[in-house]
Amino acid sequence: MEYFEDIAVGDTDDYGSYTVDAEEIMEFAGQYDPQPFHTDEEAAAESLFGGLVASGWHTSAITMRLLVTGIFPETSAMGAVGVDELRWPNPVRPGDELHVETEVLETEADYRPGVGLVRSRVETFDAEGELKQHFVSRALYGQR
Amino acid sequence: MEYFEDIAVGDTDDYGSYTVDAEEIMEFAGQYDPQPFHTDEEAAAESLFGGLVASGWHTSAITMRLLVTGIFPETSAMGAVGVDELRWPNPVRPGDELHVETEVLETEADYRPGVGLVRSRVETFDAEGELKQHFVSRALYGQR
């Protein structure tokens, strides 16, 4: 079990993979982000994107899935209070195989009694190494 | 049709409502954020939250849904390049009826040829006015 005290600035990790298809892109967007370039392949082909692209929030959700599956069973992680500088530099397209890389930027031991704060850089790439999303997370970890 | 030129600093708007139930909270989290306090009512009752709570990313997705449904049919909005200072100060629980309030903070006319950038404060509340999420969006709007 990994606690706050086991986490150091500069620690890196890699989580993956998750392949997203057109059906899932349109299903997520149909419920939460119904813009034509997310929900309709023909309209998407005529948009600036030239084809179907995932909602940025869908990319965030997939990133969270990779983090939770990869980190949480083995740690005292208690979720995040927030995220800074969330950016979507390139769109996620059907068939993209995503993975996530993290690096610890800063730790704060006295966030709450028994709880430390960990700021990490979180980057999401496709299999060719194109950066799809990046943000800085503010996650809480239990202490020993 | 509302273009970039029609948007001014200080403009406010209100979008709602979306009521989230336990089934949707568990379904979203089961796929994208499978932590026990999001996916299992019994485990959630024994957690720090004292009951089932929605994934923060689910709150973001619902907020996007309210924005897209409310804004996009009538404007030249082209999605967002990113989000700053995303925070979840209070958890969303089953039965919460969410609405969203926005305020334009800053506009930048020369982001790209024909495209302006609009920074807005986006806040998500429940029916009792408890703040569930806030962030600053960086959205793109087409120009006349």
Side-chain angles (χ1 to χ4, degrees):
Chain A
M1 182 79 164
E2 187 184 54
Y3 289 91
F4 175 79
E5 291 85 344
D6 305 313
I7 297 168
V9 172
D11 286 354
T12 59
D13 227 320
D14 197 311
Y15 307 94
S17 64
Y18 189 109
T19 301
V20 64
D21 62 19
E23 189 183 5
E24 185 183 332
I25 287 173
M26 291 187 285
E27 187 182 332
F28 183 99
Q31 188 160 4
Y32 297 117
D33 193 351
Q35 302 182 73
F37 38 86
H38 298 320
T39 59
D40 181 321
E41 291 188 295
E42 286 187 27
E46 293 168 14
S47 77
L48 283 176
F49 296 109
L52 203 66
V53 298
S55 168
W57 297 109
H58 191 186
T59 305
S60 302
I62 291 170
T63 299
M64 189 66 193
R65 171 57 187 252
L66 288 169
L67 292 173
V68 170
T69 307
I71 300 178
F72 285 64
E74 301 154 22
T75 75
S76 65
M78 302 159 68
V81 291
V83 158
D84 290 318
E85 299 162 38
L86 172 60
R87 295 290 181 277
W88 298 293
N90 292 294
V92 170
R93 297 180 186 274
D96 280 353
E97 183 189 330
L98 302 174
H99 73 277
V100 174
E101 299 182 14
T102 62
E103 178 183 0
V104 176
L105 300 177
E106 192 184 359
T107 63
E108 184 184 324
D110 56 351
Y111 181 76
R112 280 184 209 164
V115 176
L117 181 73
V118 178
R119 285 182 64 243
S120 299
R121 179 183 56 79
V122 179
E123 294 176 324
T124 306
F125 298 93
D126 69 9
E128 286 73 43
E130 186 176 66
L131 182 63
K132 302 299 194 178
Q133 177 186 270
H134 57 100
F135 64 77
V136 175
S137 71
R138 300 168 63 85
L140 304 181
Y141 282 80
Q143 294 169 332
R144 283 205 171 83
Chain B
M1 184 78 164
E2 185 185 56
Y3 289 91
F4 175 79
E5 291 85 345
D6 306 312
I7 297 168
V9 172
D11 286 353
T12 60
D13 227 320
D14 196 313
Y15 308 94
S17 65
Y18 190 108
T19 301
V20 62
D21 62 19
E23 188 183 4
E24 184 183 333
I25 287 173
M26 292 187 286
E27 189 183 329
F28 183 99
Q31 188 161 3
Y32 297 116
D33 193 351
Q35 302 183 71
F37 38 86
H38 297 320
T39 59
D40 180 322
E41 291 188 295
E42 285 187 27
E46 292 168 13
S47 76
L48 284 175
F49 296 108
L52 203 66
V53 298
S55 167
W57 297 110
H58 191 185
T59 305
S60 303
I62 291 170
T63 299
M64 190 65 192
R65 171 58 187 250
L66 288 170
L67 291 174
V68 171
T69 307
I71 299 179
F72 285 64
E74 300 154 22
T75 76
S76 66
M78 302 159 68
V81 291
V83 159
D84 290 316
E85 300 162 37
L86 172 58
R87 295 290 181 274
W88 298 294
N90 293 293
V92 169
R93 297 179 186 275
D96 279 354
E97 183 189 329
L98 302 175
H99 72 278
V100 173
E101 298 181 14
T102 62
E103 180 183 358
V104 176
L105 300 176
E106 193 183 358
T107 63
E108 184 184 323
D110 56 352
Y111 181 75
R112 280 185 210 162
V115 177
L117 181 72
V118 177
R119 286 182 64 243
S120 299
R121 179 182 56 78
V122 179
E123 294 177 324
T124 307
F125 299 92
D126 69 7
E128 286 73 42
E130 186 176 66
L131 182 63
K132 302 298 193 178
Q133 177 185 270
H134 56 102
F135 64 76
V136 175
S137 71
R138 298 166 65 85
L140 303 182
Y141 283 79
Q143 294 170 333
R144 283 205 172 84

